[in-house]
Amino acid sequence: AQTVTQSQPEMSVQEAETVTLSCTYDTSESDYYLFWYKQPPSRQMILVIRQEAYKQQNATENRFSVNFQKAAKSFSLKISDSQLGDAAMYFCAYRSALTEKLVFGKGTKLTVNP
Amino acid sequence: DVKVTQSSRYLVKRTGEKVFLECVQDMDHENMFWYRQDPGLGLRLIYFSYDVKMKEKGDIPEGYSVSREKKERFSLILESASTNQTSMYLCASSFSPGSLSNQPQHFGDGTRLSIL
């Protein structure tokens, strides 16, 4: 079974600085999708960014970008120019191309200090 | 925008009660999911459904059942609530465009359920 590991339960960053959240996953499959979700204190889970395993180019969404290393099974999230509104729980998730089910990591709580 | 609505934000029930959590989505999505979220454990899949009247067990289905009579509505049922089912419950939906793609899941606001 696939597993997703987020090794940093908590992280903090100064406003306007850059922070990187780590995610590794374990799979024997070659075709899959990876996602980062954000859950602010208001609780609604919001998609931040997604990556297809067959794409070598790293996905970017405004201040959010990923470093996808397929061979290393690593999928880190970089947040540039951090803002107070970025404070949230961040979850990394894996989905096989064979199913609709997501496998989530345990999350990283990000604090942004003014 | 996709709207996934969970019927209650907070719910308090007693041990042994039958509890219904309701979820409705407005985007005609084929797939719907129920998760529970506990501190330090992330999100764990309870059940999911890929079509009306279809369901599949997730990772932790024990003590739960589901119902999907209409495409837009997916209900989670705690047959006889127990204190270890106190948790945050999240509903999600996603689109299936015929072949699997990078379609994300869209989540509701969650129901914080307390079983006393």
Side-chain angles (χ1 to χ4, degrees):
Chain A
Q2 294 87 6
T3 58
V4 176
T5 302
Q6 294 180 247
S7 59
Q8 307 148 318
E10 296 188 25
M11 292 279 287
S12 64
V13 63
Q14 292 296 126
E15 199 175 0
E17 298 293 308
T18 295
V19 64
T20 299
L21 308 184
S22 300
C23 173
T24 59
Y25 55 94
D26 185 24
T27 185
S28 58
E29 298 175 340
S30 59
D31 197 11
Y32 50 86
Y33 309 98
L34 297 164
F35 304 85
W36 277 99
Y37 281 90
K38 168 186 177 181
Q39 187 182 40
S42 63
R43 296 199 325 222
Q44 187 176 31
M45 199 84 85
I46 304 164
L47 177 70
V48 175
I49 199 165
R50 70 187 102 173
Q51 175 82 41
E52 296 85 350
Y54 61 83
K55 288 188 178 178
Q56 292 189 349
Q57 186 172 7
N58 289 325
T60 300
E61 290 285 345
N62 301 314
R63 298 183 295 107
F64 298 88
S65 61
V66 298
N67 183 5
F68 173 48
Q69 303 284 334
K70 191 172 184 179
K73 297 179 183 175
S74 171
F75 183 59
S76 60
L77 174 69
K78 185 171 85 171
I79 306 173
S80 304
D81 185 25
S82 297
Q83 300 175 0
L84 295 177
D86 294 334
M89 284 291 290
Y90 286 82
F91 292 95
C92 178
Y94 168 100
R95 199 188 84 212
S96 164
L98 302 174
T99 178
E100 297 287 348
K101 295 192 289 185
L102 284 174
V103 178
F104 284 89
K106 294 183 178 180
T108 297
K109 182 179 180 181
L110 178 66
T111 301
V112 180
N113 300 310
Chain B
D1 277 356
V2 177
K3 184 71 174 175
V4 179
T5 303
Q6 295 185 230
S7 54
S8 303
R9 199 157 170 85
Y10 299 94
L11 203 55
V12 180
K13 296 292 182 180
R14 297 212 172 269
T15 304
E17 281 192 68
K18 190 170 186 176
V19 181
F20 293 85
L21 301 184
E22 306 287 345
C23 176
V24 177
Q25 49 94 4
D26 67 354
M27 283 301 293
D28 203 35
H29 283 171
E30 291 82 1
N31 307 309
M32 296 189 75
F33 307 82
W34 274 107
Y35 296 90
R36 73 176 273 175
Q37 182 179 10
D38 299 289
L41 297 179
L43 278 76
R44 293 179 290 167
L45 181 65
I46 305 171
Y47 268 98
F48 74 101
S49 168
Y50 51 89
D51 202 351
V52 175
K53 297 190 186 295
M54 305 300 286
K55 61 184 179 184
E56 282 196 27
K57 293 180 179 179
D59 300 317
I60 51 165
E62 298 77 18
Y64 303 94
S65 62
V66 290
S67 173
R68 193 163 181 205
E69 297 296 320
K70 294 184 177 181
K71 191 174 185 180
E72 67 271 17
R73 185 180 297 271
F74 192 36
S75 303
L76 179 69
I77 304 158
L78 286 65
E79 297 290 345
S80 178
S82 63
T83 55
N84 63 11
Q85 292 178 310
T86 291
S87 187
M88 172 77 78
Y89 290 87
L90 293 173
C91 175
S93 71
S94 70
F95 175 53
S96 263
S99 61
L100 287 169
S101 70
N102 67 352
Q103 294 296 315
Q105 292 183 14
H106 300 267
F107 286 82
D109 286 344
T111 296
R112 189 171 294 282
L113 175 64
S114 296
I115 307 296
L116 305 179

